[in-house]
Amino acid sequence: DAAAEADVAEVTSGGTTAQYADLSAALAAAKDGDTIKLLANATVGNVLLTGKTVTLDLNGKTVKNSDRGANSIQIGPSNSSANLIITGSGSFTSADQPLVVKKGTLDLSRWTGDNSYIYRVTISGANSRL
């Protein structure tokens, strides 16, 4: 139950807001066009964004890879594109694996935070871009 733990992220969808204790769950629950706002520093395991565009507002917080060897976020499998827009200040850190864009777009144009993580992005697939 997300209410039983400290809330890490909130998803705004169609005028309503739901809070989540886990960023991976918030990313999975977000629908096309939704915005996720970090409320605290967060860890994320292996999350697959499929067929949707999601905005992640770092809100001055840090996202880090929580699982050695796991990709933080994979944008689009080979058969379904997705888009991740990162906004706000804040940072990504990843000890082992990069953020992976297989089929889709990683948009950092509105990100005002620490850009050191962008060197750990892997782009593959004919329609992928940064």
Side-chain angles (χ1 to χ4, degrees):
D1 180 15
E5 300 178 42
D7 292 321
V8 169
E10 65 182 20
V11 177
T12 302
S13 180
T16 59
T17 300
Q19 296 187 335
Y20 295 83
D22 178 82
L23 178 57
S24 298
L27 284 162
K31 294 177 179 53
D32 186 43
D34 287 355
T35 297
I36 300 168
K37 180 179 179 181
L38 287 183
L39 304 175
N41 293 337
T43 56
V44 64
N46 196 17
V47 175
L48 181 64
L49 287 183
T50 304
K52 60 187 174 184
T53 295
V54 175
T55 299
L56 176 60
D57 179 358
L58 295 178
N59 193 33
K61 310 297 186 231
T62 297
V63 174
K64 69 178 182 174
N65 185 335
S66 65
D67 198 332
R68 195 171 268 289
N71 296 317
S72 325
I73 300 171
Q74 181 176 309
I75 301 169
S78 59
N79 62 347
S80 180
S81 66
N83 303 295
L84 178 64
I85 302 165
I86 298 178
T87 64
S89 62
S91 61
F92 271 89
T93 58
S94 181
D96 298 306
Q97 296 292 326
L99 186 145
V100 177
V101 182
K102 284 198 170 180
K103 184 178 180 184
T105 302
L106 173 62
D107 181 346
L108 303 175
S109 65
R110 291 175 265 170
W111 182 14
T112 59
D114 175 9
N115 69 357
S116 62
Y117 187 74
I118 65 171
Y119 301 113
R120 291 184 171 265
V121 174
T122 297
I123 307 289
S124 63
N127 297 319
S128 294
R129 63 181 190 257
L130 173 63

